[in-house]
Amino acid sequence: MTFRVSLGYADPAKNVYCAVSGLGRLLRDIQKAKQLWSMEQRAYYPNGPEDERLALLRVQIKHAEYWIAPGRTSYIVAVVDRRYHWERPAGVIGENQKIK
């Protein structure tokens, strides 16, 4: 059974953001779960990678987009520059790419 999914990732400390959408499917793959397993997950899955509640999400990506934003100082400088020059500053939004 497949279903539509949308996933997001953010690392505000590094100003990095990503959004992915596509078709998802839940899988029970104990070998892959063992490869990805870390001890911190035991709090949620006490029986380890073999826990019957544990599943992997496989996503067939249809659309993806990421942003690498400039830091706060860059935004402040751009706002001040625009205020006094009345034009849109170049390169303020950082890097943005869409993958379809």
Side-chain angles (χ1 to χ4, degrees):
M1 178 176 162
T2 60
F3 46 92
R4 295 188 330 196
V5 297
S6 180
L7 307 168
Y9 171 80
D11 186 345
K14 295 181 181 178
N15 296 314
V16 174
Y17 307 89
C18 178
V20 174
S21 63
L23 297 176
R25 188 164 69 108
L26 291 177
L27 304 171
R28 292 268 307 140
D29 183 339
I30 294 173
Q31 293 303 330
K32 189 65 172 176
K34 286 180 180 179
Q35 290 176 351
L36 300 172
W37 184 258
S38 68
M39 287 306 292
E40 293 84 9
Q41 295 166 330
R42 192 166 293 280
Y44 303 101
Y45 305 103
N47 295 326
E50 291 88 8
D51 195 304
E52 63 185 26
R53 297 172 301 138
L54 178 64
L56 302 172
L57 175 63
R58 176 175 285 165
V59 178
Q60 180 183 2
I61 297 172
K62 297 293 183 182
H63 301 281
E65 185 171 3
Y66 73 89
W67 304 264
I68 301 174
R72 181 181 167 104
T73 304
S74 297
Y75 281 118
I76 293 170
V77 169
V79 168
V80 170
D81 184 55
R82 185 168 185 184
R83 170 93 170 125
Y84 292 103
H85 293 107
W86 298 100
E87 58 188 65
R88 186 171 193 182
V92 173
I93 62 168
E95 184 178 340
N96 174 244
Q97 293 290 322
K98 293 181 182 181
I99 302 164
K100 294 183 181 185

